[in-house]
Amino acid sequence: MHIPDGFLTNRIALSLDVVSGAGILYAARRAKVDISGRTAPIMGMLAAFVFAAQMLNFPVLGGTSGHLIGGSLLAVLLGPLIGTLTMASVVIAQALFLQDGGLVALGANIFNISAVTCFSGYAVFKLFGKRIIVEGKHLFLAGFFAGWCSVMVSSACCAFEMGLSGAIPLHIGLPAMLSYHAIVGIVEGMLTGGVLKFLLKVRPDLMKDEGGTGFGIPDWIGAMLLVAIPVALLIVAGSSSLPDPLEKLLGATPIASGAVPANPLSSSRIGDYMIRSAAFILLVGLGILVSRLVRSRRSRS
Amino acid sequence: MRHNFIDRYAALDSPLHILEPRTKLLAFTALIVGVLSIPATNGFLFFIYAFAIAIMMGFSQVPLNYIVGRALLLLPFILLASLAAPWKGYLGFGVLFVRAILCLILLILLTNTTRFAELLRGMRKLGCPQILAMNLSFLYRYLFVLTEEAMRMKQARDCRRTASAPFKEELKLLSSMLGTLLIRSFERAERMHSAMLSRGYSGDFPVISPRKFSWHDLAFLSVVTLFIVSTFCFTNR
Amino acid sequence: MTEYAVRIIQLSYTYPDGTRALEKIDLDVPCGERIAIVGPSGAGKSTLLLHLNGVLQGTGSIKILNQKLEQSGLREVRRQVGLLFQDPNDQLFCPTVYEDVAFGPLNLTVPADEIQRRVDKALSDAGLNKSIRSRSSHHLSLGERRRVSLAAVLAMEPAILGMDEPTSNLDPRNRHHLIEVISGLKATLIIATHDLELVLDVCPRTVLMDQGKIWADGETRKMLADSRLMDAHGLEVPLSLKLGFKSK
Ligand SMILES: Nc1ncnc2c1ncn2[C@@H]1O[C@H](COP(=O)(O)OP(=O)(O)OP(=O)(O)O)[C@@H](O)[C@H]1O
Ligand SMILES: [Mg+2]
């Protein structure tokens, strides 16, 4: 699931870096973590918990190991924004400590493994009802589906990015990733549900407040836009049949040179290319704009 | 379990180690981007990059077998992914594989020539939000504590279990173990928080920076910039 | 009128899982006194100490230096009370030892050279040499970790110092050094420990706890020599008292 450097084209990797960077600045600002309060140490400790749990690789199913991702669990316990931040630090630490996932691909990994798992897991969990935690009915089921869906969505994103980069063709990568993670997701889901149920039984007081930050409808819309726009642009801009603008800029030829038709300079090609380049520039500009905005609001407050 | 597997050689004192963390973060990112933009057909450039990386490895004083060992750990995934490359023949596979390995070695070099605390300071100065930096510093500190705790629980479970339990039982056991670990983490966080408060914590993590930006950094940055620019010029020719 | 460093009145505490850990504790500690809390494992010693700076909040009232321990003024009170936790891992949260020890003084916005002085003094008081400063706490041995957390607490120069098992995992030399350092402190000391020899050396007054209650409170040498009382609470008369050493 952790994408190493080398499998994403510069364009996709760098634009996801921008997206994730902006997203993290947004989350850090929006989550309004009261750093003098107890949320900060809890976030840090839970990040260490997820990291340790992922490293353990408990053996399940006679041999294959269940790889706990934990994003949906954190999102349920801490809320999606703080959950995303916490998971993001896990992903960064995995890249820096274990070289699990690359440095330039960090943005992609943060996007897949923290943002996507936390938000999809949280959304699915909330489908089961607003007061599901307090009531505790169907808690296991809600946790299970949150965990399973988050793993599936996240692996699909991973396959898409690799496919768009031309590293692993989508028609091979997507089914492979999805079918493998459908099984991993079962373990993840059962663990998420089981842990939630266990927590409710033993320490219900821990589950009452969801990290204290309400996540209102405007935030959902904001978050969806933040995710959806870049994804859409990526799909428009990311087709591997054309030279990567950055690579073009740097005078390099695309890796998938076999896929480029014989006459790449036909007029329709050039128009196509310009549209895609414009989309890419728009995307980067948007990312910078968002991060600026968040920055300036943060410095003002 | 010995836990200096993470930044084992970060405390050495090589020309690479004494650089300011910001310098290294920027330079290594640039180098990785450089590797990623090498055109597939340009074998000579791959060689040049590999040569440059080998020189840095030599200067870093990080033992070669350690770097190779770490790289081997991640090899299976890289191999698998490279095999799925959409081009026929060995070229696609080779290009993906070499790229990934070069990037991986760069990352290993970066993390093993910089103490984590300093890497964090560098990130903080480059604009990483405080909460994230704090989170990472806590994670770094408590990772070992929690891993050890988890290992002990796992051992305790393995000692008590006789025959292998059915899948469902196993998962139930596992989730209650994880739950216990989670609860302990929460409680530890609370105690840690109070320890922080009793030492006057008010939301700011004080930063003490031992390494300063010096002529070393300037020299290193200019060499790296020169290198990357010249390789691009070379491909443009 | 005596000034009280700590006044605890009718303090009870139940853990979230329902364990009743403290029951109606009354305890007064005058300023500058050194008292020991002894008792079998699970008596509630650590739980009591954790109440001193508001980590845990039970029912009843606690006054620190004549100020009630409440949610509002908690921050000020906490600076007066240094707590050495039973598990040093809870206390060392910075990437390096130096940062951990300097954390407190830095937060008090003490000038830089003063920070340097405090850190150096705290480290040497805790029996650590300078080479340890740049190391990470998770690479240290348990005894070293305990001493670093002691240094971190001492660097705050607190008026009241609560210590939970200060001598566990220390080798004999460091234990003696610690006892010397403790004896030289001006702060009010509350020490929870199983090390009765330490109690004899340092604390004139002892409180015996068992099952969340205080069973005896009085002069150390008298109490620790009372073999009936000690046996009843799972403790034993320290060897040096039995053999008649340490008669002052
Ligand atoms: N986090 C907790 N949750 C529930 N019960 C707890 C918790 N911590 C302690 N207890 C219980 O509270 C009681 C008092 O524990 P405490 O840690 O204060 O004992 P202690 O006197 O310090 O023992 P020791 O000498 O072993 O350190 C014990 O029965 C213990 O099981
Ligand atoms: Mg105790």
Side-chain angles (χ1 to χ4, degrees):
Chain A
M1 190 76 115
H2 293 75
I3 307 175
D5 280 329
F7 291 93
L8 299 180
T9 54
N10 271 332
R11 181 177 45 195
I12 290 190
L14 290 177
S15 36
L16 279 170
D17 282 344
V18 174
V19 170
S20 292
I24 281 183
L25 285 180
Y26 172 78
R29 150 110 196 106
R30 188 59 195 80
K32 276 196 222 112
V33 180
D34 169 22
I35 355 189
S36 62
R38 48 178 220 136
T39 320
I42 285 183
M43 280 170 73
M45 198 63 80
L46 290 193
F49 165 78
V50 172
F51 193 108
Q54 293 204 359
M55 253 173 58
L56 277 186
N57 263 351
F58 295 97
V60 225
L61 255 182
T64 54
S65 55
H67 207 86
L68 180 83
I69 293 180
S72 45
L73 182 66
L74 289 191
V76 170
L77 288 176
L78 300 171
L81 275 179
I82 298 186
T84 302
L85 276 177
T86 310
M87 269 318 270
S89 54
V90 174
V91 174
I92 294 174
Q94 281 167 333
L96 294 182
F97 294 160
L98 310 174
Q99 290 86 40
D100 208 354
L103 192 63
V104 175
L106 199 56
N109 286 326
I110 289 179
F111 181 79
N112 297 342
I113 299 174
S114 66
V116 169
T117 47
C118 285
F119 277 90
S120 59
Y122 188 76
V124 172
F125 190 79
K126 282 290 157 179
L127 284 183
F128 281 76
K130 267 206 174 111
R131 296 172 46 79
I132 171 117
I133 286 187
V134 189
E135 284 161 4
K137 245 194 281 172
H138 308 306
L139 186 63
F140 180 83
L141 264 188
F144 178 85
F145 279 109
W148 191 81
C149 292
S150 70
V151 171
M152 292 303 276
V153 177
S154 155
S155 63
C157 285
C158 180
F160 265 110
E161 287 152 17
M162 302 271 263
L164 289 178
S165 291
I168 299 175
L170 202 56
H171 64 93
I172 300 176
L174 192 61
M177 284 294 268
L178 283 185
S179 51
Y180 174 67
H181 283 99
I183 297 170
V184 171
I186 291 179
V187 177
E188 165 89 12
M190 288 180 94
L191 288 180
T192 307
V195 168
L196 285 176
K197 235 174 88 177
F198 180 84
L199 272 190
L200 187 70
K201 199 169 69 191
V202 185
R203 286 292 301 273
D205 54 310
L206 288 181
M207 306 202 26
K208 289 232 171 74
D209 62 317
E210 289 167 36
T213 47
F215 201 71
I217 292 173
D219 293 297
W220 272 112
I221 296 174
M224 297 240 268
L225 279 183
L226 199 73
V227 173
I229 294 177
V231 166
L233 286 179
L234 261 186
I235 291 176
V236 173
S239 155
S240 60
S241 65
L242 276 173
D244 192 320
L246 193 73
E247 283 177 6
K248 179 76 185 167
L249 205 70
L250 303 172
T253 50
I255 41 170
S257 49
V260 180
N263 181 10
L265 288 180
S266 68
S267 62
S268 72
R269 276 288 162 195
I270 288 181
D272 205 350
Y273 176 65
M274 273 165 64
I275 290 175
R276 284 165 201 237
S277 308
F280 175 67
I281 290 165
L282 202 71
L283 164 65
V284 174
L286 190 84
I288 293 171
L289 200 73
V290 169
S291 68
R292 267 287 144 79
L293 230 85
V294 171
R295 270 277 174 98
S296 66
R297 276 185 64 188
R298 192 172 58 163
S299 58
R300 232 184 295 136
S301 68
Chain B
M1 189 176 81
R2 275 328 298 164
H3 20 55
N4 48 5
F5 67 97
I6 276 175
D7 48 2
R8 187 170 197 169
Y9 295 102
L12 297 178
D13 216 10
S14 80
L16 229 55
H17 285 79
I18 59 171
L19 293 172
E20 216 254 358
R22 268 180 298 177
T23 312
K24 266 188 277 190
L25 275 173
L26 290 178
F28 277 79
T29 312
L31 281 172
I32 292 179
V33 173
V35 170
L36 294 179
S37 3
I38 305 177
T41 47
N42 198 332
F44 183 63
L45 256 194
F46 275 114
F47 179 74
I48 294 275
Y49 264 94
F51 187 66
I53 290 171
I55 289 179
M56 289 208 297
M57 271 161 70
F59 270 121
S60 73
Q61 294 175 7
V62 180
L64 186 64
N65 55 5
Y66 175 77
I67 297 181
V68 173
R70 293 236 42 114
L72 279 180
L73 274 183
L74 291 165
L75 206 57
F77 179 79
I78 292 183
L79 268 178
L80 200 75
S82 308
L83 278 177
W87 313 293
K88 291 172 207 80
Y90 299 113
L91 183 68
F93 168 75
V95 166
L96 268 185
F97 183 73
V98 171
R99 269 189 190 171
I101 289 289
L102 289 183
C103 293
L104 184 59
I105 290 177
L106 279 172
L107 188 55
I108 294 175
L109 264 187
L110 170 65
T111 49
N112 278 288
T113 55
T114 324
R115 286 212 175 112
F116 186 66
E118 282 181 26
L119 216 51
L120 271 186
R121 277 182 217 121
M123 286 167 57
R124 184 89 183 83
K125 281 191 197 153
L126 287 174
C128 151
Q130 188 192 14
I131 181 66
L132 196 68
M134 237 167 84
N135 228 349
L136 277 166
S137 124
F138 289 152
L139 192 162
Y140 176 64
R141 174 66 189 86
Y142 283 97
L143 164 64
F144 308 106
V145 178
L146 292 190
T147 314
E148 263 170 23
E149 219 160 86
M151 288 291 181
R152 278 200 299 271
M153 284 167 65
K154 203 174 148 185
Q155 263 168 14
R157 178 198 66 173
D158 290 346
C159 288
R160 260 178 288 169
R161 192 178 48 181
T162 47
S164 78
F167 178 60
K168 209 180 145 203
E169 288 299 304
E170 191 101 342
L171 267 184
K172 211 167 164 190
L173 201 66
L174 197 57
S175 56
S176 73
M177 265 169 67
L178 283 176
T180 311
L181 196 63
L182 189 62
I183 289 175
R184 286 195 197 161
S185 313
F186 263 111
E187 285 169 353
R188 197 185 279 285
E190 239 133 58
R191 290 196 299 268
M192 183 176 115
H193 181 229
S194 63
M196 289 162 71
L197 288 180
S198 68
R199 283 196 264 153
Y201 170 74
S202 58
D204 237 3
F205 233 67
V207 171
I208 321 158
S209 183
R211 294 215 200 276
K212 294 259 169 354
F213 197 83
S214 69
W215 65 270
H216 287 116
D217 299 286
L218 207 62
F220 184 70
L221 273 183
S222 10
V223 169
V224 168
T225 318
L226 217 67
F227 176 74
I228 294 179
V229 168
S230 59
T231 53
F232 283 146
C233 291
F234 179 79
T235 49
N236 257 339
R237 207 162 38 114
Chain C
M1 202 186 98
T2 41
E3 286 272 336
Y4 286 106
V6 180
R7 296 201 78 165
I8 299 177
I9 300 163
Q10 293 284 302
L11 178 70
S12 301
Y13 183 73
T14 309
Y15 274 103
D17 67 352
T19 314
R20 200 145 174 76
L22 296 179
E23 271 193 76
K24 301 200 173 145
I25 299 281
D26 286 305
L27 183 66
D28 287 341
V29 186
C31 279
E33 202 179 33
R34 298 177 185 152
I35 80 162
I37 303 177
V38 300
S41 215
K45 306 182 291 291
S46 304
T47 311
L48 182 59
L49 279 185
L50 289 178
H51 276 83
L52 289 184
N53 69 354
V55 181
L56 300 176
Q57 287 170 350
T59 55
S61 92
I62 301 179
K63 272 188 183 169
I64 304 287
L65 297 169
N66 274 328
Q67 220 181 333
K68 208 150 186 261
L69 195 58
E70 277 169 340
Q71 205 63 47
S72 53
L74 213 51
R75 183 152 284 162
E76 279 61 46
V77 175
R78 273 174 166 147
R79 296 192 182 187
Q80 309 286 333
V81 185
L83 265 194
L84 184 72
F85 290 0
Q86 190 160 11
D87 182 352
N89 278 332
D90 293 339
Q91 207 147 14
L92 304 176
F93 41 79
C94 294
T96 64
V97 167
Y98 182 82
E99 280 164 296
D100 249 323
V101 179
F103 184 87
L106 275 172
N107 278 326
L108 295 182
T109 54
V110 179
D113 47 342
E114 168 73 3
I115 290 177
Q116 198 64 34
R117 188 194 66 77
R118 280 202 192 185
V119 172
D120 286 342
K121 182 165 184 306
L123 282 176
S124 77
D125 278 352
L128 296 161
N129 61 7
K130 285 193 173 176
S131 65
I132 206 168
R133 291 154 143 247
S134 61
R135 297 181 60 192
S136 316
S137 345
H138 54 261
H139 291 163
L140 303 179
S141 79
L142 196 52
E144 285 169 329
R145 258 180 264 172
R146 181 167 298 284
R147 281 182 280 149
V148 174
S149 38
L150 179 68
V153 173
L154 288 180
M156 287 293 285
E157 305 185 343
I160 301 166
L161 185 50
M163 301 204 239
D164 204 342
E165 309 282 0
T167 52
S168 69
N169 302 102
L170 290 191
D171 59 51
R173 173 155 34 115
N174 276 308
R175 185 174 160 273
H176 281 300
H177 183 79
L178 179 85
I179 292 178
E180 253 168 51
V181 170
I182 292 178
S183 313
L185 290 176
K186 287 199 195 71
T188 308
L189 286 181
I190 302 173
I191 305 178
T193 185
H194 295 290
D195 182 353
L196 298 183
E197 302 288 348
L198 163 81
V199 176
L200 277 173
D201 279 343
V202 178
C203 306
R205 178 179 157 201
T206 298
V207 172
L208 194 154
M209 281 185 75
D210 195 359
Q211 294 171 349
K213 295 192 198 92
I214 291 184
W215 296 78
D217 181 351
E219 206 200 319
T220 299
R221 300 176 67 81
K222 241 190 230 158
M223 190 188 303
L224 296 194
D226 183 345
S227 58
R228 283 246 308 279
L229 181 71
M230 299 301 276
D231 280 346
H233 295 288
L235 300 170
E236 65 177 353
V237 177
L239 210 56
S240 57
L241 274 185
K242 266 191 207 158
L243 299 178
F245 300 157
K246 293 193 182 170
S247 46
K248 283 188 187 151

